[in-house]
Amino acid sequence: MSESVPQRIAHLRGEIERHNYQYHVLDTPLITDAEYDIMFRELQTLETLYPLLATPDSPTQRVGAAPLLSFAKVVHHTPMLSLNNAFNDEEVRAFDARTRETLGVNEVEYSVEPKFDGLAVTLIYQDGIFVQGATRGDGEVGEDVTQNLRTIRNLPLRLDIRQLAKPISFIEIRGEVLMFKHDFIALNREQVDKGDKLFANPRNAAAGSLRQLNSRITSSRHLSFLAYGAGAVEGFTLPDSHFEQLACLKKLAVPVPQEGRVVDGVDGLLIYYREIAELRHKLPYEIDGVVYKVNNISQQAQLGYVSRAPRFALAHKFPAEEALTTVLDIEVQVGRTGALTPVARLTPVFVGGVTVTNATLHNEEELRRKDIRIGDIVSVRRAGDVIPEVARVIFERRPVDVREFNMPRTCPICGAQVTKQPDEAIWRCSGGLFCPAQRKQALWHFASRRALDIEGLGEKLIDQLVEHQLVHTPADLYKLNLQALAQLDRMGEKSAQNLLGSIENSKQTTLARFIYALGIRNVGETTAKGLARHFATLDSFMAADETRLQLVPDIGPIVAQSISTFFAEPHNLEVIAKLRAAGVQWPEQAEKAVRLLPLNAKVFVLTGTLISMSRDEAKSRLEALGARVTGSVSQKTDYVVAGAEAGTKLDKAQQLNIAVLDEQQFLQLLSTNEMSSTAVYRKVMEIL
Ligand code: IVH
């Protein structure tokens, strides 16, 4: 490497942001995730080794920062207004007529765009750098969510001002934070795996994620930003039409909606409304209407504002996506972890772009709370691509002969006892893998796209494999042959061969996928990735006790317990051994290399005051060497670094017999290891 460290850092930042933009805004990645990760990790390492070179606009800031106690209040430079709504064509015609009259013109040019269903935010860029962002709040005062906004991958931390003669000294960019439908589905899938509560719709998920005091949680949530306009601007003149302003923002690397357009007159507005209503379900994000804005900025000024809304803009809302239907029956489904979910069978009804015949009732409590009975007329809601749910019962129309539903006391599939933990809302079948329903779900999970990705192994086929007793555990999949498959319905030789081919292909996998595929309770995809990254090998993961497991970021006592319960079950160990014997494998070397860092997985606690550096610097330098720094002394602690006036933590360390380093010894430890770490670091990069 001939570059100096600051040059290398600048180079990496530029490249990482360029690839972020390609991936998150243009949707056309130029490099693989692995190549991206290598650059990112190199930058992280350099910034931790050289803390003075870290800056708030570095892409590494996107992973989140230390949790806050509360959000600071921000007074908006220009108020964040709301929009007047229209719910039908007449109201739109009236808006256009008023606009023409005020402007004294025959026809108005409008800029039109979708109305995003997310949360309004304002972003402030000073000299091209993102310095502060806030929620709308009451329109005058919002909450400072800067650190959380920094984690949003498609939100530029620095504007692309290369084509400009001089940087824009100040600009406020207004837009919406939202969660794309596919990210929302993935998040709820994770929530199911973790046994956490589901988000009702992408908007709630986006709001819950943006208003996290711990920005690391926000970072894990995959939010997106879309701009719909600019507020105050200094040191720069924006174009004089709204549409061109958006185009200008786009040139600065700010994501703007692709569906925006310029139309003439009210007919143009209504055509656009119908077009977008058609397109609505195909868009990657949720919208709740369209927004019409007078395109010309001086005409906007002429129209002005009335109370809290502009006269030059109008939101034309879509009708709510709910529909009425009848509950024909209530049945129970048995999930992978044995959870019994009541499901309503409905008279088919068209809602949210699809025909719905089933709706989840979540659990018994929910069903009681909403008082849903067989025979009821209910309103069914489908938010985005979420599983449809029963929103409410239309009590005024309740027939006299409705029947109440009771959860069964035994599993409807295998007949085993149904049990419930006192603190849980969910009843579970106690049949474990003896229950065919659970076995089928476990196989389905194992073969699913995010797990071992066995193409062509769908639900119907799994049903047959289990019913013909050909497959009991995932390991049995690798024993299937043409002869066995020939017994199945609708299985020609060609499809049998294809299936065997994809089973064979699935043997080459990654450790993260394998861990996820095991279907350990509370271990979703993200957790599996974290575990794979931390342990690097399956053996060390399996050998870790609950205390070690909790050293992995984001793993608490509940997940740790699920993991150790899973490995305590001899049957599970047997399945794992058989899978490995069948040739299921993953590359381990690259991850191993990262673990060569000298203080890998060592746990430090800092206490008292250090003279030679701040606590933040001490922490960063330790972390760059692979160590973890925690706040309290426990059995898990390897070293306590005691500065001047160290207090109770030092006492605790002595009680627990934990190694204590004074400042001199600590500096010695850092300098020895930092030297060796640079060498290791080079090696890591070579291997990767
Ligand atoms: S323009 C001067 N454009 O709708 C008014 N707002 O009901 C500025 N919204 O708080 C708003 N999509 O959060 C505008 N394309 C869009 C929008 C949009 C969603 C939200 C925005 C605002 C709310 C007003």
Side-chain angles (χ1 to χ4, degrees):
M1 239 180 267
S2 57
E3 291 162 306
S4 68
V5 172
Q7 278 169 340
R8 179 76 187 151
I9 288 182
H11 171 80
L12 286 168
R13 284 180 187 157
E15 280 296 280
I16 291 170
E17 282 299 296
R18 182 166 76 89
H19 290 299
N20 269 342
Y21 185 73
Q22 286 289 340
Y23 184 96
H24 294 285
V25 183
L26 303 182
D27 227 1
T28 44
L30 301 177
I31 55 171
T32 64
D33 288 3
E35 286 166 317
Y36 178 89
D37 285 346
I38 291 173
M39 289 200 289
F40 195 86
R41 258 184 279 157
E42 185 185 348
L43 178 60
Q44 266 182 327
T45 308
L46 289 174
E47 287 180 355
T48 22
L49 282 174
Y50 301 93
L52 287 178
L53 298 178
T55 58
D57 66 328
S58 170
T60 54
Q61 294 299 304
R62 295 193 188 277
V63 297
L68 304 173
L69 292 173
S70 66
F71 294 115
K73 295 272 180 270
V74 177
V75 179
H76 299 308
H77 290 255
T78 32
M80 294 182 74
L81 305 175
S82 59
L83 291 168
N84 289 321
N85 290 322
F87 293 95
N88 55 47
D89 292 2
E90 274 50 63
E91 289 169 355
V92 178
R93 288 185 193 285
F95 161 77
D96 175 64
R98 273 194 312 272
T99 311
R100 279 185 286 119
E101 195 183 334
T102 315
L103 295 175
V105 296
N106 288 330
E107 191 174 69
V108 180
E109 184 182 84
Y110 293 100
S111 179
V112 292
E113 59 205 51
K115 184 169 191 308
F116 317 118
D117 201 5
L119 273 93
V121 293
T122 182
L123 313 178
I124 293 176
Y125 289 81
Q126 263 165 359
D127 298 325
I129 295 187
F130 173 58
V131 291
Q132 190 180 54
T135 59
R136 179 173 184 273
D138 63 4
E140 301 283 340
V141 180
E143 282 178 327
D144 184 334
V145 286
T146 311
Q147 193 53 50
N148 294 356
L149 289 166
R150 282 202 175 106
T151 70
I152 300 180
R153 305 299 192 274
N154 79 338
L155 183 155
L157 297 179
R158 165 193 283 276
L159 299 175
D160 184 352
I161 47 177
R162 279 174 303 185
Q163 317 97 322
L164 303 183
K166 62 180 172 74
I168 306 172
S169 49
F170 180 95
I171 184 167
E172 249 179 330
I173 294 174
R174 299 272 161 94
E176 201 92 344
V177 166
L178 31 87
M179 189 174 279
F180 276 42
K181 292 176 189 169
H182 68 266
D183 290 320
F184 169 71
I185 294 167
L187 172 62
N188 261 355
R189 197 177 288 136
E190 288 274 324
Q191 296 291 99
V192 171
D193 287 338
K194 285 201 259 175
D196 282 349
K197 96 174 195 330
L198 296 188
F199 292 99
N201 53 50
R203 209 199 88 81
N204 285 2
S209 305
L210 189 67
R211 297 199 66 262
Q212 286 285 340
L213 291 169
N214 182 350
S215 51
R216 288 182 210 269
I217 297 181
T218 316
S219 178
S220 71
R221 292 283 174 83
H222 297 278
L223 295 172
S224 301
F225 172 76
L226 281 173
Y228 51 65
V233 185
E234 282 163 31
F236 183 70
T237 313
L238 282 169
D240 60 5
S241 82
H242 176 76
F243 191 76
E244 286 171 56
Q245 291 194 347
L246 288 185
C248 173
L249 290 180
K250 187 173 177 188
K251 278 208 198 110
L252 297 171
V254 177
V256 298
Q258 287 169 11
E259 297 76 18
R261 188 144 354 130
V262 175
V263 301
D264 288 321
V266 70
D267 293 338
L269 298 181
L270 296 174
I271 291 170
Y272 181 74
Y273 176 84
R274 306 215 195 309
E275 249 177 59
I276 297 293
E278 276 287 300
L279 197 68
R280 176 178 187 187
H281 298 292
K282 299 203 184 86
L283 290 178
Y285 46 80
E286 295 248 293
I287 61 174
D288 57 349
V290 292
V291 182
Y292 309 138
K293 298 171 185 172
V294 170
N295 195 27
N296 184 296
I297 301 291
S298 40
Q299 287 186 335
Q300 285 191 359
Q302 210 178 323
L303 288 154
Y305 299 83
V306 60
S307 69
R308 311 292 323 138
R311 273 205 204 87
F312 56 79
L314 183 73
H316 189 177
K317 302 278 277 264
F318 293 138
E321 294 210 278
E322 283 195 13
L324 297 188
T325 187
T326 314
V327 177
L328 299 174
D329 200 359
I330 296 178
E331 292 173 8
V332 170
Q333 267 175 5
V334 184
R336 179 165 56 85
T337 56
L340 267 52
T341 309
V343 177
R345 305 276 172 233
L346 307 167
T347 307
V349 62
F350 193 72
V351 55
V354 295
T355 303
V356 170
T357 50
N358 300 317
T360 177
L361 302 173
H362 300 292
N363 55 51
E364 193 183 22
E365 257 173 37
E366 188 73 8
L367 187 147
R368 296 270 170 263
R369 193 175 61 76
K370 291 182 178 161
D371 189 18
I372 301 163
R373 304 193 193 172
I374 301 164
D376 262 332
I377 313 281
V378 292
S379 168
V380 175
R381 176 169 59 200
R382 192 173 161 273
D385 290 286
V386 265
I387 319 155
E389 63 168 4
V390 170
R392 66 207 147 83
V393 172
I394 313 299
F395 291 109
E396 305 78 50
R397 293 179 56 188
R398 170 167 276 175
V400 283
D401 57 349
V402 287
R403 278 185 295 128
E404 231 177 289
F405 165 82
N406 291 308
M407 284 300 270
R409 295 291 154 231
T410 55
C411 169
I413 308 293
C414 73
Q417 279 292 322
V418 163
T419 57
K420 188 166 94 147
Q421 303 283 26
D423 54 342
E424 268 198 342
I426 299 169
W427 288 93
R428 288 178 201 277
C429 159
S430 59
L433 286 177
F434 297 102
C435 173
Q438 288 186 57
R439 214 182 307 148
K440 285 177 187 172
Q441 293 280 336
L443 285 164
W444 182 78
H445 174 79
F446 183 85
S448 63
R449 202 161 56 78
R450 292 177 165 73
L452 281 230
D453 192 18
I454 305 182
E455 221 187 300
L457 186 56
E459 226 160 319
K460 296 240 162 64
L461 202 50
I462 290 174
D463 283 354
Q464 288 199 60
L465 289 171
V466 171
E467 274 148 31
H468 282 78
Q469 309 247 350
L470 287 171
V471 172
H472 296 91
T473 75
D476 298 333
L477 292 170
Y478 296 92
K479 292 196 306 208
L480 289 173
N481 53 32
L482 281 179
Q483 211 182 351
L485 291 178
Q487 311 171 27
L488 306 179
D489 293 344
R490 274 173 295 150
M491 175 62 75
E493 184 164 337
K494 182 97 178 63
S495 27
Q497 227 135 25
N498 286 345
L499 178 63
L500 292 177
S502 36
I503 293 178
E504 187 60 31
N505 286 342
S506 73
K507 287 182 181 172
Q508 306 299 330
T509 187
T510 64
L511 178 57
R513 278 175 178 272
F514 185 79
I515 294 175
Y516 174 62
L518 293 175
I520 305 170
R521 187 125 144 231
N522 296 316
V523 176
E525 203 185 0
T526 312
T527 309
K529 282 185 184 159
L531 288 164
R533 186 164 297 175
H534 185 88
F535 289 105
T537 70
L538 183 64
D539 293 328
S540 53
F541 169 46
M542 288 172 65
D545 59 15
E546 286 179 38
T547 318
R548 284 253 5 236
L549 286 166
Q550 287 183 57
L551 294 179
V552 182
D554 300 329
I555 291 203
I558 295 176
V559 184
Q561 197 193 13
S562 306
I563 295 171
S564 74
T565 311
F566 183 88
F567 289 127
E569 171 64 62
H571 168 83
N572 291 331
L573 301 181
E574 200 182 308
V575 171
I576 292 174
K578 284 190 180 156
L579 286 169
R580 295 178 92 177
V584 175
Q585 57 180 304
W586 48 87
E588 285 189 331
Q589 201 190 13
E591 280 125 326
K592 255 189 206 153
V594 175
R595 296 159 43 76
L596 293 174
L597 286 171
L599 299 183
N600 176 50
K602 289 274 181 285
V603 180
F604 281 72
V605 171
L606 303 171
T607 180
T609 314
L610 297 173
I611 300 163
S612 51
M613 70 184 87
S614 70
R615 200 171 280 190
D616 280 346
E617 188 188 341
K619 183 165 184 269
S620 311
R621 287 173 68 178
L622 281 169
E623 284 172 349
L625 294 168
R628 239 167 63 88
V629 180
T630 66
S632 61
V633 179
S634 74
Q635 300 283 7
K636 296 184 215 166
T637 313
D638 293 298
Y639 294 98
V640 169
V641 177
E645 287 165 45
T648 51
K649 290 182 188 172
L650 178 57
D651 301 340
K652 181 108 189 260
Q654 278 154 352
Q655 266 168 34
L656 293 175
N657 231 350
I658 289 165
V660 176
L661 304 177
D662 64 20
E663 182 154 0
Q664 211 48 49
Q665 290 166 316
F666 175 57
L667 288 174
Q668 186 62 43
L669 174 109
L670 284 183
S671 66
T672 330
N673 285 301
E674 279 168 358
M675 267 189 307
S676 79
S677 140
T678 322
V680 170
Y681 191 74
R682 277 205 204 97
K683 184 142 172 235
V684 170
M685 286 301 154
E686 265 164 38
I687 295 173
L688 289 175

